[in-house]
């Protein structure tokens, strides 16, 4: 039996603009995980995926070529040089809410690839996992930037520009982010598709907003390097205004963001595709409890905390 797991993720700065070549900053959320467990099945039973949380049972031989999980499994088997369908039961389980901006699809795919390679006795380097997961992200998301598969495969904070190797970034002082689930399901494919259609219809203002978001992301890198919490928070607020200009915020998200700030958060924004999913808020020791209570009182389904520190942000290995 082999079990492998992968973390969820949040985008701190730069979502959507990253699809158009601007930089973004993302971090793993290591205590939210998806897992894949492979067990040997009786000879002749072939390969079946049990996707617990989606209530799906997928027989590999019958799955259409564009089924995202079947695709990623076929790619992983190919990468592991397994040419004949193996007799395996694969159980997929996830604590990461679906369609909420936390990278659930990429995390399940990454756990699956890692489990297949490990079960086959092969190395499972992050770059290989990232490359294969990107292929399933294309089916889930349409035109992904590649940031989700990268941060999840490496499980490290990343400075990311589409098409380039990820870079680590310096964290001058640890900081704490509250992650509040609005409970509103919002597939990334839809918000990314809407932004794309609007950009195609009238590119100039969208390009200008993407470039202003890039300025915010560069500023955030400096503020994080300097450990300047007030500046990080102000830049989160600025990023949120730009995301609202792109049309990916919503009244429910704005209410959660306002509640967090009123309760003492240093800054707050949506994270990921937007319209629903999660908002993130920068908190300190004094404000964390009040921010959590305010978010729950304003309708958040749950609030988690994650700390971003230098120890989680070292060199990358392949
Ligand atoms: C999704 O987590 C982030 C987006 O920027 C889409 C992408 O980068 O592929 C909205």
């Amino acid at each position: 039996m082999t079990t492998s797991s992968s973390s969820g993720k949040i985008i701190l700065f730069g979502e959507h603009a990253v699809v158009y070549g601007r930089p973004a900053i993302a971090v793993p959320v290591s205590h939210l995980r998806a897992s894949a467990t492979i067990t040997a099945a009786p000879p002749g039973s072939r390969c079946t995926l049990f996707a617990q949380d989606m209530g799906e049972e997928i027989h590999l031989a019958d799955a259409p070529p564009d089924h995202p999980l079947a695709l990623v499994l076929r790619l992983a088997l190919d990468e592991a040089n397994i040419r004949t369908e193996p007799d395996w039961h694969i159980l997929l389980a996830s604590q990461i809410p679906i369609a909420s901006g936390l990278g659930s699809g990429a995390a399940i795919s990454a756990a699956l690839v890692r489990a297949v390679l490990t079960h086959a006795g092969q190395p499972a380097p992050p770059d290989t996992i990232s490359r294969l997961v990107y292929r399933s992200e294309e089916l889930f998301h349409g035109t992904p930037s590649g940031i989700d598969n990268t941060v999840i495969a490496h499980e490290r904070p990343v400075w990311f520009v589409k098409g380039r190797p990820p870079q680590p970034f310096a964290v001058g002082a640890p900081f704490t982010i509250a992650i509040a689930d609005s409970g509103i399901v919002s597939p990334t494919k839809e918000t990314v598709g809407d932004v794309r259609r609007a950009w195609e219809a009238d590119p100039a203002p969208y390009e200008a907003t993407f470039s202003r978001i890039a300025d915010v992301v560069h500023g955030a890198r400096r503020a994080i390097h300097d450990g300047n919490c007030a500046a990080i928070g102000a830049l989160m607020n600025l990023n949120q205004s730009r995301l609202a200009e792109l049309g990916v915020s919503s009244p429910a998200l704005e209410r959660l963001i306002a509640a967090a700030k009123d309760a003492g958060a240093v800054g707050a924004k949506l994270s990921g595709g937007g319209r629903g999913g999660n908002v993130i808020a920068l908190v300190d020791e004094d404000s964390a409890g009040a921010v959590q209570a305010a978010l729950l009182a304003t309708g958040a389904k749950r609030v988690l905390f994650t700390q971003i520190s230098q120890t989680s942000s070292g060199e990358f290995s392949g």
Side-chain angles (χ1 to χ4, degrees):
M1 187 172 98
T2 304
T3 297
S4 296
S5 74
S6 286
S7 71
K9 69 93 191 40
I10 49 172
I11 301 206
L12 291 181
F13 291 96
E15 51 275 270
H16 285 289
V18 70
V19 175
Y20 299 83
R22 275 59 168 198
I25 295 174
V27 295
V29 181
S30 294
H31 47 283
L32 272 185
R33 303 198 76 82
S35 68
T37 300
I38 302 179
T39 46
S45 43
R46 308 186 70 170
C47 192
T48 310
L49 279 164
F50 300 91
Q52 238 176 15
D53 309 276
M54 290 175 263
E56 252 193 289
E57 187 175 313
I58 304 142
H59 298 276
L60 185 60
D62 306 333
D66 62 349
H67 189 294
L69 288 173
L71 170 85
V72 93
L73 176 54
R74 290 188 184 110
L75 290 170
L77 290 171
D78 200 47
E79 185 73 28
N81 287 316
I82 299 174
R83 305 284 173 221
T84 320
E85 191 182 322
D87 296 319
W88 287 353
H89 281 171
I90 308 177
L91 182 66
L92 302 173
S94 177
Q95 312 163 318
I96 310 167
I98 293 167
S100 67
L102 294 176
S104 61
I108 291 170
S109 296
L112 178 56
V113 173
R114 197 171 274 141
V116 170
L117 294 176
T118 307
H119 198 74
Q122 308 256 348
D127 282 340
T128 303
I129 295 171
S130 184
R131 175 169 51 81
L132 301 187
V133 173
Y134 181 76
R135 299 281 303 279
S136 68
E137 287 287 284
E138 286 179 306
L139 287 176
F140 275 124
H141 288 176
T143 55
S145 63
I147 192 168
D148 286 14
N149 47 286
T150 301
V151 65
I152 284 169
H154 288 271
E155 209 170 329
R156 301 307 265 298
V158 296
W159 169 267
F160 179 85
V161 178
K162 189 176 171 177
R164 297 199 201 147
Q167 290 174 29
F169 56 86
V171 182
F175 56 98
T176 303
I177 295 286
I179 307 169
D181 186 354
S182 70
I184 301 165
V185 168
S186 175
T188 303
K189 189 173 187 164
E190 285 174 20
T191 51
V192 170
D194 286 351
V195 172
R196 179 162 297 275
R197 277 182 287 279
W199 170 78
E200 277 166 359
D202 192 9
Y206 283 86
E207 283 295 328
T209 301
F210 297 146
S211 292
R212 282 199 289 267
I213 290 176
D215 293 342
V216 170
V217 181
H218 281 283
R221 186 179 193 164
R222 281 191 297 277
I224 293 170
H225 171 275
D226 296 345
N228 184 342
C229 200
I232 299 169
L235 288 161
M236 287 172 76
N237 295 338
L238 199 51
N239 197 164
Q240 173 59 24
S241 306
R242 303 289 178 236
L243 286 162
E245 280 169 34
L246 294 179
V248 296
S249 193
S250 71
L253 296 185
E254 294 295 341
R255 276 194 295 279
L256 289 170
I257 289 164
K261 291 199 287 193
D262 288 350
V266 193
K269 64 184 277 293
L270 67 83
S271 177
R275 298 251 174 84
N278 280 268
V279 303
I280 57 173
L282 178 59
V283 297
D284 54 27
E285 246 176 64
D286 297 335
S287 66
V291 170
Q292 181 177 32
L295 285 164
L296 290 170
T298 312
K301 297 293 168 268
R302 63 173 175 174
V303 180
L304 304 168
F305 292 95
T306 192
Q307 203 190 46
I308 290 113
S309 65
Q310 189 62 63
T311 49
S312 55
S313 179
E315 286 304 304
F316 281 89
S317 60

